[in-house]
Amino acid sequence: MATTHAVTDRAIDAIKQMILVGELGPGHRLPPEKELAERVGVSRNSLREAVKALSVIRVLDVRQGDGTYVTSLAPELLVESLAFMLDLHQGSAEGQILEVRRLLEPVAVEQACARLGDEDFAVLEQLMVDISEHSSVEELVAADLAFHQRITSRCPNAYLSSMLEGLASATARARTWRGLTEDSAVESTLAEHRRILDALRAGRADLARVHTAAHIAAVESWIQRGADAG
């Protein structure tokens, strides 16, 4: 006899298949609960559990009194569940999350290079001007996040840029501690950002990729030194 979990998984797979074959698309309303449960071959309770699970990961949108709809399935919406999981692991997995950023973000920066315009460069320059040795740690981290997100938002791969936004937020705590404990944090961050920005402005996507990897690796090294000291 199938377990409740297995039956719910079957319902999830059935709804997923309906989306994959185009029977359901972004914004489409699911068939009535009774009809869909009979079609899938599960109880209405199991179907409700499947719908609940898919709504949590932002595939379905349950509208009370109206029905259940497929969301827009936009990359930034679907990646929210990843960001949520990363938030739960803050403080225990920053090193591993930074490693993922180091592997992915340089690629996004390289792809974004040709898509950055004068307005983007003006914003990036201003983010650097706004930071000085008198800036608070919170201001430094906010500027660092904005700097990276401005660049990666121009990456043509929407899934990659959305994923990196979640990863960047998940490592903000590590950067805050770096700012609190490393005397040269502001100077180092500005110098690293300057190398990335100059490479992008020069159209050197290959250099921007290298400098981005080095920038993230610097924070990784700081975390490792702290772990070794502890």
Side-chain angles (χ1 to χ4, degrees), residues 71-79 159:
T71 65
S72 66
L73 301 180
E76 61 272 16
L77 198 65
L78 300 179
V79 172
Y159 291 94

Side-chain angles (χ1 to χ4, degrees), residues 13-125:
D13 287 340
I15 295 172
K16 181 176 72 173
Q17 190 61 30
M18 292 171 71
I19 294 173
L20 289 174
V21 301
E23 186 175 347
L24 291 173
H28 287 184
R29 182 177 178 175
L30 267 64
E33 183 182 89
K34 183 175 184 297
E35 177 186 330
L36 185 57
E38 290 176 351
R39 176 176 169 180
V40 175
V42 299
S43 68
R44 294 174 73 169
N45 282 337
S46 293
L47 180 63
R48 289 190 195 110
E49 289 300 316
V51 168
K52 185 185 300 182
L54 289 171
S55 67
V56 167
I57 61 173
R58 308 303 296 274
V59 171
L60 298 180
D61 178 21
V62 180
R63 304 176 190 174
Q64 293 298 327
D66 187 13
T68 300
Y69 293 78
V70 179
T71 65
S72 66
L73 301 180
E76 61 272 16
L77 198 65
L78 300 179
V79 172
E80 282 184 9
S81 57
L82 170 64
F84 178 78
M85 292 302 297
L86 290 172
D87 283 342
L88 295 179
H89 292 279
Q90 283 194 30
S92 62
E94 281 133 337
Q96 293 181 47
I97 296 171
L98 277 165
E99 182 180 9
V100 175
R101 268 192 69 203
R102 177 169 49 78
L103 293 171
L104 296 180
E105 189 165 334
V107 176
V109 171
E110 184 175 40
Q111 292 182 4
C113 183
R115 294 171 173 262
L116 291 164
D118 292 339
E119 182 181 348
D120 295 309
F121 290 124
V123 170
L124 293 169
E125 287 285 359

